[in-house]
PDB file of all heavy atoms in Angstrom:
ATOM      1  N   MET C 197      25.328  -2.948 -47.221  1.00 89.00           N
ATOM      2  CA  MET C 197      24.254  -2.453 -46.367  1.00 89.00           C
ATOM      3  C   MET C 197      23.162  -1.896 -47.278  1.00 89.00           C
ATOM      4  O   MET C 197      23.373  -0.897 -47.972  1.00 89.00           O
ATOM      5  CB  MET C 197      24.754  -1.388 -45.400  1.00 89.00           C
ATOM      6  CG  MET C 197      23.691  -0.998 -44.387  1.00 89.00           C
ATOM      7  SD  MET C 197      24.353   0.023 -43.085  1.00 89.00           S
ATOM      8  CE  MET C 197      24.215   1.621 -43.868  1.00 89.00           C
ATOM      9  N   LYS C 198      22.035  -2.563 -47.297  1.00 87.00           N
ATOM     10  CA  LYS C 198      20.949  -2.224 -48.227  1.00 87.00           C
ATOM     11  C   LYS C 198      20.479  -0.791 -47.985  1.00 87.00           C
ATOM     12  O   LYS C 198      20.182  -0.409 -46.852  1.00 87.00           O
ATOM     13  CB  LYS C 198      19.791  -3.206 -48.013  1.00 87.00           C
ATOM     14  CG  LYS C 198      18.629  -3.023 -48.940  1.00 87.00           C
ATOM     15  CD  LYS C 198      18.771  -3.952 -50.129  1.00 87.00           C
ATOM     16  CE  LYS C 198      17.588  -3.776 -51.077  1.00 87.00           C
ATOM     17  NZ  LYS C 198      18.030  -3.767 -52.477  1.00 87.00           N
ATOM     18  N   GLY C 199      20.438  -0.028 -49.080  1.00 87.00           N
ATOM     19  CA  GLY C 199      19.921   1.330 -48.967  1.00 87.00           C
ATOM     20  C   GLY C 199      20.950   2.354 -48.548  1.00 87.00           C
ATOM     21  O   GLY C 199      20.727   3.555 -48.659  1.00 87.00           O
ATOM     22  N   GLY C 200      22.080   1.929 -48.023  1.00 87.00           N
ATOM     23  CA  GLY C 200      23.153   2.850 -47.688  1.00 87.00           C
ATOM     24  C   GLY C 200      22.793   3.799 -46.562  1.00 87.00           C
ATOM     25  O   GLY C 200      21.873   3.552 -45.772  1.00 87.00           O
ATOM     26  N   LEU C 201      23.517   4.905 -46.529  1.00 87.00           N
ATOM     27  CA  LEU C 201      23.335   5.848 -45.416  1.00 87.00           C
ATOM     28  C   LEU C 201      21.977   6.535 -45.469  1.00 87.00           C
ATOM     29  O   LEU C 201      21.415   6.896 -44.429  1.00 87.00           O
ATOM     30  CB  LEU C 201      24.450   6.889 -45.428  1.00 87.00           C
ATOM     31  CG  LEU C 201      25.810   6.373 -44.930  1.00 87.00           C
ATOM     32  CD1 LEU C 201      26.848   7.466 -45.062  1.00 87.00           C
ATOM     33  CD2 LEU C 201      25.710   5.901 -43.490  1.00 87.00           C
ATOM     34  N   ASN C 202      21.453   6.721 -46.679  1.00 88.00           N
ATOM     35  CA  ASN C 202      20.126   7.356 -46.774  1.00 88.00           C
ATOM     36  C   ASN C 202      19.099   6.529 -46.017  1.00 88.00           C
ATOM     37  O   ASN C 202      18.275   7.051 -45.259  1.00 88.00           O
ATOM     38  CB  ASN C 202      19.706   7.475 -48.244  1.00 88.00           C
ATOM     39  CG  ASN C 202      20.573   8.480 -48.967  1.00 88.00           C
ATOM     40  OD1 ASN C 202      21.173   9.351 -48.316  1.00 88.00           O
ATOM     41  ND2 ASN C 202      20.668   8.351 -50.272  1.00 88.00           N
ATOM     42  N   CYS C 203      19.173   5.236 -46.261  1.00 88.00           N
ATOM     43  CA  CYS C 203      18.254   4.332 -45.579  1.00 88.00           C
ATOM     44  C   CYS C 203      18.545   4.305 -44.076  1.00 88.00           C
ATOM     45  O   CYS C 203      17.640   4.210 -43.259  1.00 88.00           O
ATOM     46  CB  CYS C 203      18.383   2.953 -46.202  1.00 88.00           C
ATOM     47  SG  CYS C 203      17.246   1.745 -45.526  1.00 88.00           S
ATOM     48  N   TRP C 204      19.819   4.407 -43.741  1.00 87.00           N
ATOM     49  CA  TRP C 204      20.234   4.428 -42.326  1.00 87.00           C
ATOM     50  C   TRP C 204      19.561   5.584 -41.598  1.00 87.00           C
ATOM     51  O   TRP C 204      19.000   5.435 -40.520  1.00 87.00           O
ATOM     52  CB  TRP C 204      21.753   4.537 -42.268  1.00 87.00           C
ATOM     53  CG  TRP C 204      22.330   4.670 -40.890  1.00 87.00           C
ATOM     54  CD1 TRP C 204      22.634   5.842 -40.254  1.00 87.00           C
ATOM     55  CD2 TRP C 204      22.659   3.622 -39.979  1.00 87.00           C
ATOM     56  NE1 TRP C 204      23.133   5.579 -39.008  1.00 87.00           N
ATOM     57  CE2 TRP C 204      23.169   4.219 -38.813  1.00 87.00           C
ATOM     58  CE3 TRP C 204      22.572   2.230 -40.040  1.00 87.00           C
ATOM     59  CZ2 TRP C 204      23.592   3.480 -37.720  1.00 87.00           C
ATOM     60  CZ3 TRP C 204      23.006   1.504 -38.953  1.00 87.00           C
ATOM     61  CH2 TRP C 204      23.506   2.117 -37.809  1.00 87.00           C
TER      62      TRP C 204
END
Side-chain angles (χ1 to χ4, degrees):
Chain C
M197 188 170 86
K198 183 95 180 138
L201 285 177
N202 291 338
C203 183
W204 176 266

